[in-house]
Amino acid sequence: MIIEENMSVQKKLEILSDAAKYDVACTSSGVDRKGTSGGLGNTVAAGICHTFSADGRCISLLKILFTNECIFDCKYCLNRSSNDVVRASFTPEEVCVLTMEFYRRNYIEGLFLSSGVIKNPNFTMELLCETLRMLREVHHFNGYIHCKAVPGASSDIIEMTGWYADRMSVNLELPTAEGLKTLAPHKTRKNILKPMKQIQIGRNELIKPSTFIETNRMSGYAQSISVFDMNSIESEQDQPQILREEANFSLSKSKSELSIRDKILDTNMTGYDSEYSLGKVRRPSINRGFVPAGQSTQMIIGATPENDYQILSVTEALYQKFDLKRVFFSAFIRVNEDTSLPVLPGGPPLLREHRLYQADWLLRFYGFQAAELLSEERPNFNVLLDPKCNWALGHLENFPIEVNKADYYALLRVPGIGVRSAERIVKARRTAKLRFEDLKKMGVVLKRAIYFITCSGQMMHPVKLEENYLTNQLVGMKERLPFGLSGDISYQQLSLFDDLKFMNQNININ
Amino acid sequence: MLTKRIYVCENSIECIFTGIYDAWASNYGHDNNRIQVEESNNEPETMELFSEYIHVKTDNEKAIKVANSIRTKISEEAFQMVCSAAWSCSSKKGDIIYRFLILGFSMGSKVVNHMGDQNVMMIFELQRNVTYEVHHFLGFLRFIESDSNILLAKIKPQNDVLRLIAPHFSDRLSNENFIIYDEKRKSAIVHRSGYSWIYTLADHLDINKFEEYSEKEQEFTSLWQTFFDTIAIEERRNYKLQRNNAPLRFRNNMTEFKN
Ligand code: SF4
């Protein structure tokens, strides 16, 4: 390993931000917190972008690794131990000063602290935790902090970190356990899911000061199981293979009468009592809550052969089982020469990543389920169509719907109608019957929506609801893809993004 | 046909409210009145024939009466919409607000849902435009620290957003002394550590101070520049997307775009 003595902070920043840049989550969202007298900073739930880098992505946080002196050897990573790159480490104080001074100048919303594994996971996690403690308690920093949990670190130190951080994340890295095995030999699915589960349980139990420490740990957990029981009525056949395999890492197939979702949960129950010891550490004197902005994760798309259905199903399970706030996708970029890594002729699969983000949006805000959007028979998205149009074309029997009557969720499923415009429709139709002209003013993209709706019983133009005809119409339409994503496809207006201009956050920027 | 009466107001919320008060009190018939906001630096709008021009003199008492009526007889939400509209850069805002209020005083709080009405839609548009710019400045504004430890920021907003961004920064930087200066309107927010912010005209502010970097300031500027340059992923380079997300007009005062 190449380690330089007396490296300047400037040089360290260069190395350790360069090493952190592939981490995709840079949002500062999820928690509203007022400023404190004597402290510096507040947080805004919607998140704030402070600038945009040359790749067009939002910069919201000072995103750095604490160190890139890593003992692991993940094939896809520039900092893997077998690579011959210059190594550097910050001191906790250096990270504090950078964060404070950048924050005062309004460069950033806060800190995103990740790290390579130096010496061992516990040693690393302790350094991260100490940095956060100093920021909060010595420098009185009250802005946003996102901190990685290092897989394999002890639960005490992860819990302590959770009291200082707003958001934590453990990278899933790859959609399946097999993928992980081939490309990240030092990581296991279990080591990744364990801190994730711990943080989830911690958030349920520790977030309310009144339930702190004294509560019966199992009670909250038992509760969450019953919630899942209610949600997991969907039949097992609808679940893709991946989840079943996933489940197998704790349960044999013979127990398949349990729904897949509960199996995943069971997985984590194994050893729960012995391994999770929440409420053991002493809470800091200022209680900002335990990981109040929740947790996120990310996975690499296209480095391993999983299909979109597998990826989306894992995503859905992460939301439902682990209560994640966000799941991020990162198109695979080949930074290392390694025979185990694919060579993708088209470069990083950015359009595929984009379609997955759109689908993720549909899961989170539109009430869709992964199994509605894809299936074993059709496991990948048509990159020419956004996932919502794709779905509508496969479900023409649901259309057209009457704008003046249909409920909110039915409206949300119409191509050309977004969250904001659906809300406006529901609000506005209380005072007046809506006409097509009115819809346009509410932000509905009529040229797409007209195939799927009626106003007072009339369609705008008579059209035949026939799949091939409509597919041609919709594919031929201009879709507003994020710039630079056009490829051979003409720019087309995305029905899913019809609302984008009204939104603070742009989904392709995170 | 009656001669049209055009109330010409200065570009301030107080004067617009005064104009609306006067127009209302005249009992001349709303259809025959119009509120027009004077564009400070531009030439006067083309005069219309057969119209009577009335120059409105700001009267704070009348303005407060209008403000209070909006809050009590329509709603707080409507009041906020009207304020945003009045701080927007639209040249038509005066009359849009007037028409919105005519409808609002007859309908009450329901008016904000009455999207079918053109003026309600337009107020929404104005507010959206202002909110959008406010949100951008929360992120894009940059402070420079002077030798005397005062944080200084210059912005050049299209809309008069100072008073809308002030609460955010006062809360966030409550222990700092800072000034946010609107280059276009020569007005400023001044915040002293531990006090609440004030809005003031600032024609006399020595803006050259903004250009004096301390050594420490240069150090952080260049650290930030380094971070900004390295964090971009070469394989995803996408200037169009960058320009779409960080429009050029915001970049003048953004440290990282200065060279
Ligand atoms: S743990 Fe793996 S991904 Fe993280 S820095 Fe080390 S090699 Fe890279």
Side-chain angles (χ1 to χ4, degrees), chain A residues 70 72-74 76-77 79-80 115-117 173 187:
Chain A
C70 189
F72 284 6
D73 200 40
C74 309
Y76 47 82
C77 175
N79 305 306
R80 61 183 187 170
S115 187
V117 182
E173 308 292 10
K187 294 182 178 166

Side-chain angles (χ1 to χ4, degrees), chain B residues 158-208:
Chain B
Q158 285 172 344
N159 304 296
D160 192 359
V161 297
L162 275 186
R163 281 158 287 189
L164 292 167
I165 63 176
H168 171 84
F169 287 105
S170 305
D171 181 59
R172 169 164 291 201
L173 305 172
S174 60
N175 284 316
E176 304 281 351
N177 299 311
F178 68 80
I179 297 172
I180 303 172
Y181 178 70
D182 181 337
E183 296 178 278
K184 208 154 147 189
R185 295 167 188 81
K186 306 211 184 316
S187 52
I189 296 296
V190 178
H191 178 271
R192 247 179 88 192
S193 166
Y195 291 82
S196 54
W197 56 274
I198 54 169
Y199 168 79
T200 172
L201 292 180
D203 333 26
H204 303 303
L205 192 75
D206 177 12
I207 60 157
N208 293 329

Side-chain angles (χ1 to χ4, degrees), chain A residues 349-393:
Chain A
L350 297 177
L351 188 55
R352 183 176 179 208
E353 175 197 278
H354 179 65
R355 295 300 181 212
L356 284 164
Y357 272 126
Q358 292 181 306
D360 167 78
W361 211 251
L362 293 178
L363 297 184
R364 291 187 298 135
F365 302 114
Y366 287 71
F368 279 94
Q369 290 175 353
E372 289 180 282
L373 297 169
L374 294 168
S375 62
E376 305 263 15
E377 295 73 46
R378 240 174 13 98
N380 287 305
F381 287 115
N382 176 354
V383 285
L384 294 174
L385 279 174
D386 76 80
K388 191 176 169 190
C389 277
N390 204 39
W391 173 84
L393 290 170

